[in-house]
Amino acid sequence: MYTKEFILNEVNAIRAEIGHDEVNIFIEEIYFEDNELWIITEDRPDKSAIIGKGGWVVGKLKEKLGLDSIHVESYGDFLNKKYKLKLSKKTVHNIDLDSVGLKNLERTIDYKLENIYSFNFDKYFGENEFDESSKIEAVVALSGGVDSSFSLILAKKLGFNPVAVTVDSGTIILPNQFKKNIKVLIESLEVKHEYIEADYSDIIGESFTGNVHPCGRCSKNTGQLVKQYAKDNEIPIIIFGDMLATGSQCINLQEDSLYRLNLPASLSVGKQEIKSLIRNYDLQTFKGFGCPLLYEVHKKFPHMRKFSIQRILRETRSGALEPGEALDLIWSFNKVK
C-alpha cells in the first residue's frame, strides 16, 4: 500500500514544515499490516531522521496517514537480532532434555526469525496454541517487576507448566506494590506460586556502607535460593528475566543437572516487546527501578549510581533498551532527593 518513495516524500515534507534540516534518508523496506506500518531504514541515522526531534516527524506522519502506529527500526539492528536468534535456536535445539516448553520455545524462535520485522507476541499467541507439559518443567523467579512478569507469562504460554517462586527479602527490596502485581498475575495465569522467606539483612547492611552495590549480591542470593527450590522439587529448568545473556548463553547447564534459561534473552526481546505483552494483565508499572533499597543507596552514596548506569548501558548496547528508555532510567536517579 505504501511505497518507499511515498514515505520519503511525506517525511521530507513534514521535516520542512516543522523546521527540521533537510537530510538524505534511505529506507531498506516498508511493511504494512493491520493499520500498522513498519519502516526499516538502512541505518540508525536514517531512523533518527524519520523519527525527528522529540518524535515529532513520525508522530505527524502517523496522524497524517491515520495509522494506529508506526514502527521505525534500522536494518542493522535486525541483522544483529537475527544473528542472536539463530544462536539461541542452535543452543536450545542442542539441549539434551525432553521438554515441551523448550520445543515450543524453539518453534517460537523459528517463527520470529521468519517474521522478524512484524513479530508481535499478542498476535502470535492469539493465533497459536501450545500443548502444556503434564508435569512442572520450570521454576520462574518472580519479583513482580516487568521482566520477571513477562518471563512467567511466556513460560505459561509456551507450555512449561511453570511454578512461580518469589524470594521475600522484606519491603525495602520487595515493596508491597510488587506483591500486588504477583497476586494479580498468578491468579490470571492460574499458576502455582510460593514465597521463600529470606534474611537479606547482611546485604542491606553492607549496601549502606557505600562499598558494595546491592544488585550483584542480591541477584546472586536470589538465584541460589530459586536454584535450591528447583533442586528440592526435582524441577529441571529455572527461568530468569535476564535480557543480556542472549544467543549461545541463553540457556546453561548448572550443577545438579539444572538448566538456567534466560527467557527474554533467548528471544532477543526489547523492553517495548515486553511491555506490549504484559499490558494485558492489569499490572502496575513503575518509572525507573522498582527497588527501594537501590534508591536509598543512590541517595546516600551518589557514586553508586555509576554501577547502575553501567548496567543500563550494557542493556542499551545489547539492543534490549532503546537510547530514550536508557536516558529515562538514568534521569530517574537525579530525581532522588
Side-chain angles (χ1 to χ4, degrees):
M1 180 175 178
Y2 297 107
T3 65
K4 297 178 186 179
E5 292 74 21
F6 173 80
I7 295 298
L8 285 172
N9 287 337
E10 293 295 326
V11 167
N12 284 320
I14 291 171
R15 288 183 63 88
E17 177 186 323
I18 63 177
H20 281 13
D21 294 335
E22 183 177 342
V23 292
N24 289 324
I25 303 171
F26 299 93
I27 294 177
E28 177 75 21
E29 191 169 341
I30 296 287
Y31 185 87
F32 179 77
E33 185 178 331
D34 297 332
N35 210 38
E36 292 188 66
L37 180 67
W38 282 261
I39 303 173
I40 314 303
T41 64
E42 288 192 355
D43 206 353
R44 290 189 73 93
D46 303 299
K47 172 181 174 177
S48 298
I50 291 176
I51 292 174
K53 297 174 183 177
W56 279 23
V57 177
V58 73
K60 285 185 172 292
L61 181 64
K62 177 169 125 359
E63 290 177 9
K64 189 172 184 179
L65 300 181
L67 300 176
D68 291 335
S69 61
I70 297 178
H71 313 271
V72 188
E73 303 289 350
S74 75
Y75 184 59
D77 289 343
F78 278 113
L79 286 176
N80 183 37
K81 186 170 289 191
K82 275 186 174 181
Y83 180 69
K84 289 189 285 189
L85 283 168
K86 287 178 180 178
L87 290 178
S88 292
K89 175 181 165 58
K90 181 175 71 172
T91 303
V92 172
H93 181 76
N94 289 334
I95 294 298
D96 185 20
L97 183 64
D98 185 20
S99 163
V100 173
L102 288 180
K103 288 184 176 67
N104 290 334
L105 174 59
E106 186 178 352
R107 175 179 161 189
T108 302
I109 293 171
D110 280 335
Y111 185 90
K112 191 170 186 180
L113 279 166
E114 293 169 4
N115 300 273
I116 191 70
Y117 295 147
S118 59
F119 180 83
N120 176 281
F121 281 108
D122 271 342
K123 183 179 178 183
Y124 177 66
F125 287 122
E127 296 175 351
N128 296 273
E129 289 190 12
F130 298 96
D131 293 333
E132 185 168 72
S133 173
S134 59
K135 61 182 180 180
I136 294 175
E137 293 186 348
V139 177
V140 178
L142 180 64
S143 69
V146 170
D147 298 344
S148 69
S149 297
F150 172 83
S151 297
L152 180 60
I153 295 166
L154 207 54
K156 176 67 175 177
K157 288 184 175 293
L158 289 174
F160 283 97
N161 188 12
V163 56
V165 169
T166 302
V167 176
D168 191 349
S169 45
T171 55
I172 195 169
I173 295 177
L174 185 70
N176 288 328
Q177 56 265 39
F178 275 42
K179 288 188 174 182
K180 291 177 182 176
N181 276 354
I182 290 168
K183 186 175 186 294
V184 168
L185 192 58
I186 61 174
E187 288 179 354
S188 177
L189 294 174
E190 298 181 339
V191 298
K192 180 183 176 184
H193 173 259
E194 290 192 37
Y195 278 105
I196 300 175
E197 301 292 331
D199 182 3
Y200 276 38
S201 57
D202 286 348
I203 295 175
I204 295 167
E206 197 170 33
S207 298
F208 284 119
T209 65
N211 296 320
V212 178
H213 193 277
C215 292
R217 281 199 61 196
C218 185
S219 177
K220 182 179 179 180
N221 268 35
T222 300
Q224 288 173 343
L225 289 168
V226 174
K227 187 185 297 184
Q228 189 61 49
Y229 180 93
K231 179 182 174 182
D232 291 344
N233 290 276
E234 299 182 338
I235 301 171
I237 300 170
I238 47 177
I239 291 177
F240 290 89
D242 191 338
M243 298 175 68
L244 290 175
T246 56
S248 57
Q249 299 301 315
C250 71
I251 184 168
N252 286 292
L253 180 62
Q254 311 282 290
E255 66 266 20
D256 303 311
S257 301
L258 292 175
Y259 286 92
R260 172 176 173 138
L261 172 59
N262 303 296
L263 198 47
S266 70
L267 285 160
S268 194
V269 302
K271 288 288 188 184
Q272 290 304 316
E273 284 183 282
I274 289 176
K275 290 174 182 176
S276 71
L277 183 62
I278 69 167
R279 67 186 175 193
N280 300 321
Y281 293 87
D282 196 28
L283 302 180
Q284 186 177 355
T285 56
F286 313 95
K287 290 186 178 180
F289 290 92
C291 176
L293 174 61
L294 184 58
Y295 277 104
E296 289 300 316
V297 170
H298 285 167
K299 183 165 62 175
K300 190 168 184 176
F301 306 104
H303 69 277
M304 282 294 168
R305 300 178 189 187
K306 170 186 175 182
F307 303 104
S308 299
I309 291 171
Q310 285 178 336
R311 171 77 184 194
I312 294 169
L313 294 179
R314 287 200 300 274
E315 289 197 356
T316 307
R317 284 195 301 273
S318 76
L321 277 176
E322 281 293 315
E325 295 171 316
L327 184 60
D328 287 342
L329 280 172
I330 294 170
W331 184 247
S332 72
F333 298 161
N334 294 324
K335 297 177 181 179
V336 176
K337 301 296 185 182

